[in-house]
Amino acid sequence: MKKQMDVSCHRHAVEFADGVYWVGALDPTLRTFDIILSTANGTTYNSYLVKGSEGVAVIDTVKENFSDEFFSRLESEVDYSDIKYIVLNHLEPDHTGALPELMRRAPQAKLYISQRAVSMLKALLKPAADKKENNFDYTTVNTGDSISLGNRTLSFLHTPFLHWPDTQCTYLEEEAVLFSGDVFGCHYCDQRLFNDLVGDFRFSFDYYYAHIMRPFKTYVMDALKLIEPLKIKQIAPTHGPILRERPRRYVTHYRELSTSSLSREIVNDNKTLIIFYMSSYGNTARMAKEVSDGASDFDDVRVSLYDLEGGETEPFVDLIEEADALLFGSPTINGDAVKPIWDLLSSLVVINLKGKLGGAFGSYGWSGEAVPMIEDRMRGLKMKIPQEGLRVKLIPDDEELEACRLFGYQVASVLSGKKEQQDVIDFADLK
Ligand code: FEO
Protein backbone atom coordinates (compact mmCIF):
# COMPACT_ATOMS: atom_id res chain seq x y z
CA MET A 1 0.00 0.00 0.00
CA LYS A 2 1.31 3.44 -0.94
CA LYS A 3 2.40 5.70 1.87
CA GLN A 4 0.05 8.70 1.81
CA MET A 5 1.49 12.10 2.58
CA ASP A 6 -0.68 14.80 4.13
CA VAL A 7 0.95 18.14 4.71
CA SER A 8 -2.17 20.26 4.90
CA CYS A 9 -2.59 20.36 8.67
CA HIS A 10 0.99 20.07 9.83
CA ARG A 11 3.20 22.92 8.90
CA HIS A 12 6.37 20.93 8.77
CA ALA A 13 9.02 20.49 6.12
CA VAL A 14 8.75 17.36 3.99
CA GLU A 15 12.00 15.53 3.28
CA PHE A 16 12.09 13.94 -0.17
CA ALA A 17 15.82 13.24 -0.56
CA ASP A 18 18.58 13.07 2.01
CA GLY A 19 18.69 16.56 3.55
CA VAL A 20 16.37 18.00 0.88
CA TYR A 21 12.98 19.36 1.95
CA TRP A 22 9.81 20.86 0.51
CA VAL A 23 8.95 23.98 2.51
CA GLY A 24 6.29 25.41 0.23
CA ALA A 25 2.64 26.35 0.58
CA LEU A 26 -0.69 25.01 -0.63
CA ASP A 27 -3.25 27.29 -2.28
CA PRO A 28 -6.19 24.96 -2.90
CA THR A 29 -8.86 27.64 -3.37
CA LEU A 30 -7.16 29.67 -6.11
CA ARG A 31 -9.29 29.59 -9.28
CA THR A 32 -7.47 32.06 -11.51
CA PHE A 33 -3.73 32.57 -11.72
CA ASP A 34 -2.16 35.70 -13.23
CA ILE A 35 -5.64 36.75 -14.37
CA ILE A 36 -5.55 34.47 -17.42
CA LEU A 37 -5.03 30.91 -16.20
CA SER A 38 -7.81 28.76 -14.81
CA THR A 39 -6.75 26.72 -11.81
CA ALA A 40 -9.53 24.23 -11.23
CA ASN A 41 -8.11 22.86 -8.01
CA GLY A 42 -5.70 25.57 -6.98
CA THR A 43 -1.93 25.58 -7.03
CA THR A 44 1.12 25.20 -4.84
CA TYR A 45 4.07 27.52 -4.34
CA ASN A 46 7.00 25.19 -3.92
CA SER A 47 10.06 26.25 -2.03
CA TYR A 48 12.93 23.96 -1.12
CA LEU A 49 15.59 23.60 1.52
CA VAL A 50 18.92 21.86 1.01
CA LYS A 51 21.08 21.06 4.02
CA GLY A 52 24.81 20.73 3.56
CA SER A 53 27.64 20.09 6.01
CA GLU A 54 28.69 23.74 5.69
CA GLY A 55 25.46 25.58 5.31
CA VAL A 56 21.87 25.56 4.22
CA ALA A 57 20.34 26.83 0.98
CA VAL A 58 16.77 27.93 0.41
CA ILE A 59 15.66 27.62 -3.20
CA ASP A 60 12.82 30.02 -4.14
CA THR A 61 10.19 31.25 -1.69
CA VAL A 62 6.38 31.59 -1.87
CA LYS A 63 3.68 34.13 -2.62
CA GLU A 64 3.53 36.79 0.08
CA ASN A 65 0.11 35.77 1.48
CA PHE A 66 1.51 32.33 2.19
CA SER A 67 4.57 33.49 4.08
CA ASP A 68 3.41 32.19 7.46
CA GLU A 69 3.06 28.67 6.13
CA PHE A 70 6.47 28.87 4.47
CA PHE A 71 8.25 30.17 7.55
CA SER A 72 6.60 27.54 9.78
CA ARG A 73 7.87 24.76 7.54
CA LEU A 74 11.31 26.37 7.34
CA GLU A 75 11.53 26.74 11.12
CA SER A 76 10.61 23.08 11.59
CA GLU A 77 14.01 22.15 10.13
CA VAL A 78 16.53 24.99 10.43
CA ASP A 79 17.50 28.09 12.35
CA TYR A 80 17.61 31.21 10.23
CA SER A 81 21.25 31.65 11.23
CA ASP A 82 22.09 28.43 9.35
CA ILE A 83 20.87 29.76 6.01
CA LYS A 84 23.89 30.81 3.95
CA TYR A 85 22.38 30.84 0.48
CA ILE A 86 19.11 31.90 -1.08
CA VAL A 87 18.81 30.74 -4.67
CA LEU A 88 16.17 32.42 -6.80
CA ASN A 89 15.39 30.52 -9.96
CA HIS A 90 12.68 33.00 -10.94
CA LEU A 91 11.66 36.34 -9.48
CA GLU A 92 7.95 36.49 -10.28
CA PRO A 93 6.08 37.51 -7.09
CA ASP A 94 4.54 34.06 -6.57
CA HIS A 95 8.08 32.91 -5.75
CA THR A 96 9.56 36.01 -4.17
CA GLY A 97 6.67 37.30 -2.06
CA ALA A 98 8.30 36.00 1.12
CA LEU A 99 11.82 37.01 0.08
CA PRO A 100 12.08 40.40 1.83
CA GLU A 101 11.01 38.87 5.14
CA LEU A 102 13.35 35.89 4.67
CA MET A 103 16.21 38.32 4.04
CA ARG A 104 15.28 40.17 7.20
CA ARG A 105 15.29 36.95 9.23
CA ALA A 106 18.47 35.56 7.61
CA PRO A 107 20.49 38.73 6.86
CA GLN A 108 23.72 36.78 6.44
CA ALA A 109 22.37 34.80 3.47
CA LYS A 110 23.69 35.60 0.00
CA LEU A 111 21.38 35.67 -2.99
CA TYR A 112 22.18 33.70 -6.15
CA ILE A 113 20.38 34.81 -9.28
CA SER A 114 20.82 34.87 -13.04
CA GLN A 115 22.34 37.93 -14.70
CA ARG A 116 18.98 38.90 -16.17
CA ALA A 117 17.37 38.83 -12.73
CA VAL A 118 19.41 41.73 -11.35
CA SER A 119 17.14 44.55 -12.51
CA MET A 120 14.07 42.64 -11.34
CA LEU A 121 15.63 42.01 -7.95
CA LYS A 122 16.39 45.71 -7.53
CA ALA A 123 12.80 46.52 -8.49
CA LEU A 124 11.49 43.98 -6.00
CA LEU A 125 13.64 45.22 -3.16
CA LYS A 126 13.12 48.93 -3.62
CA PRO A 127 14.20 50.86 -0.55
CA ALA A 128 11.68 52.47 1.76
CA ALA A 129 10.92 56.13 1.09
CA ASP A 130 13.27 57.28 3.87
CA LYS A 131 16.25 55.29 2.52
CA LYS A 132 18.47 55.99 -0.47
CA GLU A 133 19.16 52.37 -1.32
CA ASN A 134 18.73 48.86 -0.12
CA ASN A 135 21.87 46.90 0.61
CA PHE A 136 21.73 43.30 -0.35
CA ASP A 137 24.42 40.87 -1.30
CA TYR A 138 23.84 39.00 -4.52
CA THR A 139 25.90 36.96 -6.94
CA THR A 140 24.96 36.31 -10.54
CA VAL A 141 25.45 32.78 -11.82
CA ASN A 142 25.49 31.09 -15.20
CA THR A 143 25.71 27.59 -16.64
CA GLY A 144 28.80 25.92 -15.17
CA ASP A 145 28.77 27.92 -11.95
CA SER A 146 28.13 26.16 -8.67
CA ILE A 147 28.13 26.70 -4.94
CA SER A 148 29.31 24.23 -2.37
CA LEU A 149 27.41 23.52 0.82
CA GLY A 150 30.25 21.28 2.01
CA ASN A 151 29.07 17.81 1.14
CA ARG A 152 26.50 19.18 -1.34
CA THR A 153 26.91 21.04 -4.61
CA LEU A 154 24.32 23.21 -6.29
CA SER A 155 25.09 23.90 -9.94
CA PHE A 156 23.25 26.30 -12.20
CA LEU A 157 21.75 26.07 -15.65
CA HIS A 158 21.12 29.22 -17.65
CA THR A 159 17.59 28.67 -18.99
CA PRO A 160 16.20 32.12 -19.82
CA PHE A 161 12.64 32.92 -20.95
CA LEU A 162 11.00 29.97 -19.26
CA HIS A 163 8.88 31.98 -19.04
CA TRP A 164 10.55 35.24 -17.94
CA PRO A 165 13.98 36.53 -18.95
CA ASP A 166 15.40 35.80 -15.49
CA THR A 167 14.64 32.10 -15.23
CA GLN A 168 17.26 29.50 -14.38
CA CYS A 169 17.38 25.95 -13.03
CA THR A 170 19.45 24.63 -10.15
CA TYR A 171 20.77 21.08 -9.89
CA LEU A 172 21.75 19.26 -6.71
CA GLU A 173 24.46 16.99 -7.99
CA GLU A 174 24.73 14.46 -5.14
CA GLU A 175 21.00 13.70 -5.04
CA ALA A 176 20.31 14.29 -8.75
CA VAL A 177 17.45 16.67 -7.97
CA LEU A 178 16.62 19.34 -10.53
CA PHE A 179 15.02 22.46 -9.07
CA SER A 180 13.45 23.59 -12.28
CA GLY A 181 11.48 26.73 -11.46
CA ASP A 182 8.24 26.98 -13.43
CA VAL A 183 9.53 24.46 -15.99
CA PHE A 184 7.85 21.05 -15.52
CA GLY A 185 5.41 22.71 -13.14
CA CYS A 186 1.64 22.92 -13.20
CA HIS A 187 -1.16 24.49 -11.24
CA TYR A 188 -2.35 21.47 -9.37
CA CYS A 189 -2.81 21.49 -5.62
CA ASP A 190 -2.75 18.16 -3.86
CA GLN A 191 -1.48 17.76 -0.34
CA ARG A 192 0.01 14.39 -1.25
CA LEU A 193 2.74 16.38 -3.06
CA PHE A 194 4.36 13.69 -5.22
CA ASN A 195 3.45 12.65 -8.74
CA ASP A 196 3.00 9.01 -7.74
CA LEU A 197 0.56 9.95 -4.96
CA VAL A 198 -1.53 12.85 -6.26
CA GLY A 199 -4.57 12.65 -8.54
CA ASP A 200 -4.40 12.66 -12.31
CA PHE A 201 -2.72 15.95 -13.17
CA ARG A 202 -1.92 15.27 -16.83
CA PHE A 203 -4.42 17.85 -18.04
CA SER A 204 -3.03 20.51 -15.69
CA PHE A 205 0.53 19.74 -16.80
CA ASP A 206 -0.28 20.13 -20.50
CA TYR A 207 -2.53 23.15 -19.90
CA TYR A 208 0.25 24.86 -18.00
CA TYR A 209 2.74 24.13 -20.77
CA ALA A 210 0.31 25.41 -23.42
CA HIS A 211 -0.27 28.73 -21.68
CA ILE A 212 3.06 29.41 -20.01
CA MET A 213 5.83 27.70 -21.95
CA ARG A 214 4.49 27.29 -25.47
CA PRO A 215 5.27 30.86 -26.60
CA PHE A 216 8.88 30.13 -25.65
CA LYS A 217 9.31 26.79 -27.41
CA THR A 218 12.69 27.62 -28.84
CA TYR A 219 13.95 28.46 -25.35
CA VAL A 220 12.47 25.21 -24.05
CA MET A 221 14.51 23.35 -26.65
CA ASP A 222 17.65 25.22 -25.60
CA ALA A 223 17.00 24.37 -21.96
CA LEU A 224 16.41 20.72 -22.77
CA LYS A 225 19.90 20.54 -24.26
CA LEU A 226 21.22 21.35 -20.78
CA ILE A 227 18.72 19.25 -18.85
CA GLU A 228 18.62 16.05 -20.90
CA PRO A 229 22.24 15.01 -20.27
CA LEU A 230 21.74 15.22 -16.49
CA LYS A 231 21.14 12.23 -14.31
CA ILE A 232 17.76 13.05 -12.80
CA LYS A 233 16.21 11.23 -9.87
CA GLN A 234 13.62 13.90 -9.07
CA ILE A 235 12.35 17.14 -10.56
CA ALA A 236 11.26 19.77 -8.06
CA PRO A 237 9.33 22.55 -9.86
CA THR A 238 7.87 25.68 -8.28
CA HIS A 239 4.24 24.64 -8.87
CA GLY A 240 2.45 21.33 -8.61
CA PRO A 241 3.67 17.85 -7.82
CA ILE A 242 7.29 16.93 -7.22
CA LEU A 243 8.16 14.52 -10.01
CA ARG A 244 9.91 11.61 -8.35
CA GLU A 245 8.43 8.69 -10.27
CA ARG A 246 9.87 8.42 -13.76
CA PRO A 247 10.91 12.08 -13.94
CA ARG A 248 12.58 11.54 -17.30
CA ARG A 249 9.23 11.06 -19.00
CA TYR A 250 8.32 14.69 -18.20
CA VAL A 251 11.52 15.84 -19.87
CA THR A 252 10.66 13.73 -22.89
CA HIS A 253 7.13 15.07 -22.85
CA TYR A 254 8.43 18.65 -22.89
CA ARG A 255 10.44 17.82 -25.99
CA GLU A 256 7.34 16.33 -27.60
CA LEU A 257 5.23 19.36 -26.70
CA SER A 258 7.87 21.70 -28.10
CA THR A 259 8.13 19.84 -31.37
CA SER A 260 5.82 20.56 -34.30
CA SER A 261 2.38 19.10 -33.71
CA LEU A 262 1.65 19.01 -37.43
CA SER A 263 3.26 16.46 -39.68
CA ARG A 264 5.51 18.13 -42.21
CA GLU A 265 3.51 17.66 -45.35
CA ILE A 266 4.69 21.02 -46.62
CA VAL A 267 7.70 20.50 -48.86
CA ASN A 268 10.85 21.62 -47.12
CA ASP A 269 11.73 25.24 -47.79
CA ASN A 270 8.25 26.05 -49.04
CA LYS A 271 6.59 28.95 -47.25
CA THR A 272 3.05 28.91 -45.96
CA LEU A 273 0.60 31.78 -46.20
CA ILE A 274 -2.82 31.54 -44.59
CA ILE A 275 -5.70 33.85 -45.37
CA PHE A 276 -8.56 34.08 -42.87
CA TYR A 277 -11.65 36.08 -43.64
CA MET A 278 -15.23 36.85 -42.67
CA SER A 279 -17.75 38.38 -44.99
CA SER A 280 -21.27 39.69 -44.44
CA TYR A 281 -22.37 40.44 -48.06
CA GLY A 282 -19.74 38.45 -49.94
CA ASN A 283 -17.53 41.45 -50.74
CA THR A 284 -14.66 40.63 -48.38
CA ALA A 285 -14.99 36.99 -49.51
CA ARG A 286 -14.45 38.09 -53.13
CA MET A 287 -11.45 40.11 -52.07
CA ALA A 288 -10.06 37.09 -50.17
CA LYS A 289 -10.37 34.88 -53.24
CA GLU A 290 -8.48 37.41 -55.38
CA VAL A 291 -5.81 37.90 -52.69
CA SER A 292 -5.38 34.14 -52.60
CA ASP A 293 -5.10 33.89 -56.39
CA GLY A 294 -2.51 36.63 -56.47
CA ALA A 295 -0.45 34.99 -53.74
CA SER A 296 -0.59 31.63 -55.49
CA ASP A 297 1.66 32.80 -58.33
CA PHE A 298 4.71 31.52 -56.47
CA ASP A 299 5.57 27.82 -56.61
CA ASP A 300 7.36 27.94 -53.27
CA VAL A 301 4.46 29.52 -51.36
CA ARG A 302 1.60 27.30 -50.19
CA VAL A 303 -1.55 29.39 -49.85
CA SER A 304 -4.59 28.39 -47.73
CA LEU A 305 -7.91 30.19 -47.53
CA TYR A 306 -10.26 29.84 -44.53
CA ASP A 307 -13.67 31.36 -43.95
CA LEU A 308 -13.94 31.87 -40.19
CA GLU A 309 -17.69 31.59 -40.40
CA GLY A 310 -17.14 27.90 -41.05
CA GLY A 311 -14.96 26.98 -38.12
CA GLU A 312 -13.92 27.45 -34.54
CA THR A 313 -10.75 29.39 -34.01
CA GLU A 314 -8.96 27.05 -31.62
CA PRO A 315 -7.90 24.39 -34.16
CA PHE A 316 -6.21 27.08 -36.24
CA VAL A 317 -3.65 27.93 -33.58
CA ASP A 318 -1.31 25.02 -34.46
CA LEU A 319 -1.58 25.93 -38.12
CA ILE A 320 -0.81 29.57 -37.47
CA GLU A 321 2.16 28.71 -35.27
CA GLU A 322 3.81 27.03 -38.21
CA ALA A 323 2.73 29.50 -40.89
CA ASP A 324 5.09 32.07 -42.33
CA ALA A 325 2.49 34.71 -43.19
CA LEU A 326 -1.06 35.53 -42.11
CA LEU A 327 -3.60 37.73 -43.83
CA PHE A 328 -6.90 38.68 -42.26
CA GLY A 329 -9.91 39.92 -44.17
CA SER A 330 -12.73 41.58 -42.26
CA PRO A 331 -15.59 43.91 -43.06
CA THR A 332 -16.01 46.91 -40.80
CA ILE A 333 -19.11 46.67 -38.66
CA ASN A 334 -19.87 49.38 -36.13
CA GLY A 335 -16.38 50.77 -36.56
CA ASP A 336 -14.65 47.51 -35.74
CA ALA A 337 -13.42 44.22 -37.19
CA VAL A 338 -15.80 41.34 -36.62
CA LYS A 339 -15.65 39.21 -33.49
CA PRO A 340 -14.32 35.92 -34.98
CA ILE A 341 -11.27 37.83 -36.24
CA TRP A 342 -10.61 39.23 -32.77
CA ASP A 343 -11.27 35.83 -31.21
CA LEU A 344 -8.63 34.29 -33.42
CA LEU A 345 -6.15 37.11 -32.88
CA SER A 346 -6.59 37.01 -29.12
CA SER A 347 -6.08 33.24 -29.05
CA LEU A 348 -2.60 33.72 -30.50
CA VAL A 349 -0.97 34.92 -27.28
CA VAL A 350 0.03 31.31 -26.58
CA ILE A 351 2.34 31.18 -29.58
CA ASN A 352 5.27 33.20 -30.83
CA LEU A 353 4.40 35.25 -33.92
CA LYS A 354 7.44 37.48 -33.92
CA GLY A 355 8.75 38.02 -37.42
CA LYS A 356 5.89 36.38 -39.29
CA LEU A 357 4.46 38.48 -42.11
CA GLY A 358 0.99 39.89 -41.70
CA GLY A 359 -1.56 41.95 -43.54
CA ALA A 360 -5.20 42.93 -43.58
CA PHE A 361 -7.89 43.72 -46.10
CA GLY A 362 -11.65 44.19 -46.16
CA SER A 363 -14.74 45.79 -47.60
CA TYR A 364 -16.45 48.59 -45.70
CA GLY A 365 -19.46 50.87 -45.93
CA TRP A 366 -18.60 54.10 -44.12
CA SER A 367 -15.20 54.37 -42.52
CA GLY A 368 -13.27 51.07 -42.75
CA GLU A 369 -11.56 50.94 -39.36
CA ALA A 370 -11.23 47.14 -39.37
CA VAL A 371 -8.10 46.99 -41.54
CA PRO A 372 -5.90 49.41 -39.55
CA MET A 373 -7.15 47.93 -36.28
CA ILE A 374 -6.11 44.43 -37.36
CA GLU A 375 -2.76 45.76 -38.52
CA ASP A 376 -2.19 47.41 -35.15
CA ARG A 377 -2.94 44.16 -33.40
CA MET A 378 -0.50 42.28 -35.61
CA ARG A 379 2.20 44.84 -34.92
CA GLY A 380 1.49 44.39 -31.23
CA LEU A 381 2.15 40.70 -31.75
CA LYS A 382 5.51 41.69 -33.28
CA MET A 383 4.56 40.64 -36.79
CA LYS A 384 5.92 42.43 -39.84
CA ILE A 385 3.54 44.22 -42.18
CA PRO A 386 5.14 44.27 -45.64
CA GLN A 387 2.19 45.76 -47.47
CA GLU A 388 -0.20 48.48 -46.42
CA GLY A 389 -3.69 47.12 -45.82
CA LEU A 390 -6.24 47.11 -48.61
CA ARG A 391 -9.72 48.56 -48.15
CA VAL A 392 -12.54 48.57 -50.67
CA LYS A 393 -15.72 50.57 -50.26
CA LEU A 394 -18.67 48.20 -50.58
CA ILE A 395 -18.51 46.08 -53.76
CA PRO A 396 -15.08 45.63 -55.35
CA ASP A 397 -14.98 46.50 -59.06
CA ASP A 398 -12.60 44.95 -61.57
CA GLU A 399 -9.86 47.44 -60.81
CA GLU A 400 -10.18 46.85 -57.09
CA LEU A 401 -10.17 43.09 -57.56
CA GLU A 402 -6.96 43.49 -59.53
CA ALA A 403 -5.58 45.48 -56.58
CA CYS A 404 -6.48 42.52 -54.34
CA ARG A 405 -4.54 40.14 -56.60
CA LEU A 406 -1.60 42.52 -56.52
CA PHE A 407 -1.84 42.73 -52.72
CA GLY A 408 -1.65 38.93 -52.42
CA TYR A 409 1.13 38.79 -55.00
CA GLN A 410 3.23 41.36 -53.19
CA VAL A 411 2.94 39.70 -49.78
CA ALA A 412 3.80 36.33 -51.33
CA SER A 413 6.73 37.84 -53.21
CA VAL A 414 8.25 39.05 -49.93
CA LEU A 415 7.63 35.63 -48.42
CA SER A 416 9.20 33.88 -51.34
CA GLY A 417 12.19 36.17 -51.19
CA LYS A 418 11.54 37.49 -54.69
CA LYS A 419 11.02 40.95 -53.31
CA GLU A 420 13.62 42.55 -51.10
CA GLN A 421 12.59 43.10 -47.51
CA GLN A 422 14.06 46.57 -47.27
CA ASP A 423 10.66 48.16 -47.80
CA VAL A 424 9.10 46.11 -45.00
CA ILE A 425 7.85 48.41 -42.28
CA ASP A 426 8.79 46.61 -39.11
CA PHE A 427 6.95 48.49 -36.40
CA ALA A 428 7.84 45.78 -33.90
CA ASP A 429 11.47 46.84 -34.07
CA LEU A 430 10.58 50.46 -33.51
CA LYS A 431 8.99 49.81 -30.14
FE1 FEO B 1 5.29 30.70 -10.98
FE2 FEO B 1 6.37 32.51 -13.36
O1 FEO B 1 5.89 32.26 -11.64
Side-chain angles (χ1 to χ4, degrees):
M1 190 175 166
K2 278 182 181 173
K3 185 183 171 197
Q4 297 292 304
M5 186 86 59
D6 184 343
V7 297
S8 58
C9 308
H10 316 289
R11 291 187 168 190
H12 55 67
V14 178
E15 188 171 18
F16 61 97
D18 185 21
V20 184
Y21 301 82
W22 176 83
V23 288
L26 305 172
D27 188 359
T29 61
L30 186 80
R31 290 295 172 266
T32 308
F33 186 90
D34 268 1
I35 306 170
I36 54 164
L37 279 187
S38 299
T39 49
N41 73 340
T43 193
T44 66
Y45 310 105
N46 297 335
S47 171
Y48 300 99
L49 185 66
V50 179
K51 287 185 183 174
S53 58
E54 293 177 17
V56 167
V58 174
I59 301 176
D60 295 313
T61 74
V62 301
K63 196 172 178 179
E64 187 175 12
N65 304 3
F66 296 82
S67 297
D68 287 349
E69 189 174 335
F70 163 67
F71 287 119
S72 296
R73 296 192 199 283
L74 208 52
E75 288 165 14
S76 73
E77 272 306 321
V78 291
D79 293 329
Y80 292 110
S81 59
D82 295 331
I83 300 172
K84 284 177 78 172
Y85 311 100
I86 300 172
V87 174
L88 301 170
N89 284 331
H90 177 29
L91 272 68
E92 198 167 359
D94 52 327
H95 308 299
T96 48
L99 177 65
E101 179 61 19
L102 178 62
M103 291 170 68
R104 199 185 64 73
R105 296 186 189 198
Q108 74 288 346
K110 279 191 176 178
L111 304 182
Y112 287 79
I113 56 175
S114 74
Q115 180 63 46
R116 283 189 165 113
V118 173
S119 61
M120 294 180 202
L121 184 66
K122 288 179 177 172
L124 270 174
L125 302 177
K126 281 178 187 158
D130 59 339
K131 282 188 180 174
K132 270 198 169 165
E133 59 181 33
N134 254 343
N135 287 324
F136 47 88
D137 197 357
Y138 69 86
T139 300
T140 59
V141 289
N142 205 334
T143 303
D145 293 336
S146 62
I147 52 177
S148 172
L149 313 182
N151 61 342
R152 297 296 169 89
T153 309
L154 291 172
S155 57
F156 300 98
L157 308 178
H158 180 57
T159 56
F161 291 101
L162 299 178
H163 58 125
W164 273 19
D166 63 314
T167 52
Q168 64 176 4
C169 296
T170 303
Y171 179 64
L172 175 58
E173 296 180 4
E174 292 76 8
E175 295 296 328
V177 177
L178 179 70
F179 301 98
S180 58
D182 283 346
V183 184
F184 307 121
C186 63
H187 292 308
Y188 189 85
C189 182
D190 191 319
Q191 62 202 26
R192 294 167 291 186
L193 284 186
F194 298 97
N195 67 322
D196 54 314
L197 299 180
V198 301
D200 190 338
F201 65 102
R202 286 176 295 178
F203 168 79
S204 302
F205 190 90
D206 283 11
Y207 179 84
Y208 186 90
Y209 175 90
H211 288 81
I212 300 289
M213 297 297 165
R214 181 174 177 172
F216 305 99
K217 275 183 175 181
T218 55
Y219 292 98
V220 171
M221 291 302 226
D222 288 345
L224 290 176
K225 286 180 199 155
L226 298 176
I227 292 169
E228 284 172 338
L230 299 174
K231 176 186 174 189
I232 296 177
K233 286 187 186 167
Q234 303 192 65
I235 297 174
T238 45
H239 298 288
I242 295 169
L243 308 171
R244 68 180 181 184
E245 184 182 84
R246 297 174 61 203
R248 180 70 58 181
R249 70 180 161 156
Y250 297 92
V251 178
T252 304
H253 191 47
Y254 252 53
R255 181 165 282 283
E256 290 165 355
L257 291 169
S258 302
T259 305
S260 168
S261 56
L262 300 174
S263 60
R264 288 300 303 179
E265 196 217 319
I266 298 292
V267 177
N268 276 349
D269 300 331
N270 273 9
K271 304 288 187 181
T272 55
L273 185 158
I274 306 178
I275 302 165
F276 295 101
Y277 69 93
M278 285 286 288
S279 193
S280 46
Y281 293 102
N283 297 322
T284 301
R286 290 186 69 194
M287 293 179 71
K289 173 72 170 54
E290 298 302 323
V291 170
S292 175
D293 285 352
S296 299
D297 267 2
F298 295 86
D299 291 339
D300 58 348
V301 177
R302 176 81 69 97
V303 181
S304 311
L305 188 62
Y306 290 106
D307 182 350
L308 288 177
E309 191 176 348
E312 304 211 355
T313 56
E314 196 177 326
F316 289 125
V317 175
D318 287 346
L319 204 57
I320 290 171
E321 185 174 37
E322 302 205 357
D324 301 294
L326 306 169
L327 298 178
F328 292 90
S330 174
T332 297
I333 296 181
N334 293 334
D336 202 350
V338 294
K339 185 171 179 296
I341 297 282
W342 289 130
D343 287 346
L344 184 54
L345 284 166
S346 66
S347 71
L348 302 183
V349 292
V350 297
I351 59 177
N352 182 8
L353 296 170
K354 187 175 181 182
K356 291 186 194 293
L357 299 187
F361 59 91
S363 163
Y364 68 99
W366 301 341
S367 46
E369 292 93 340
V371 167
M373 289 170 90
I374 293 169
E375 288 178 323
D376 282 349
R377 173 64 177 154
M378 288 192 288
R379 290 182 187 115
L381 291 166
K382 297 187 167 42
M383 296 175 67
K384 297 185 175 190
I385 312 293
Q387 200 65 30
E388 188 178 343
L390 188 61
R391 301 186 298 168
V392 168
K393 193 167 177 70
L394 294 173
I395 303 167
D397 61 20
D398 287 348
E399 194 176 328
E400 288 163 332
L401 290 174
E402 178 56 32
C404 291
R405 280 192 290 279
L406 184 61
F407 178 78
Y409 179 90
Q410 287 176 325
V411 173
S413 68
V414 173
L415 197 56
S416 146
K418 303 290 190 300
K419 185 179 176 190
E420 292 296 319
Q421 291 235 8
Q422 65 245 27
D423 56 350
V424 171
I425 303 168
D426 185 357
F427 287 84
D429 289 343
L430 300 177
K431 291 183 177 178

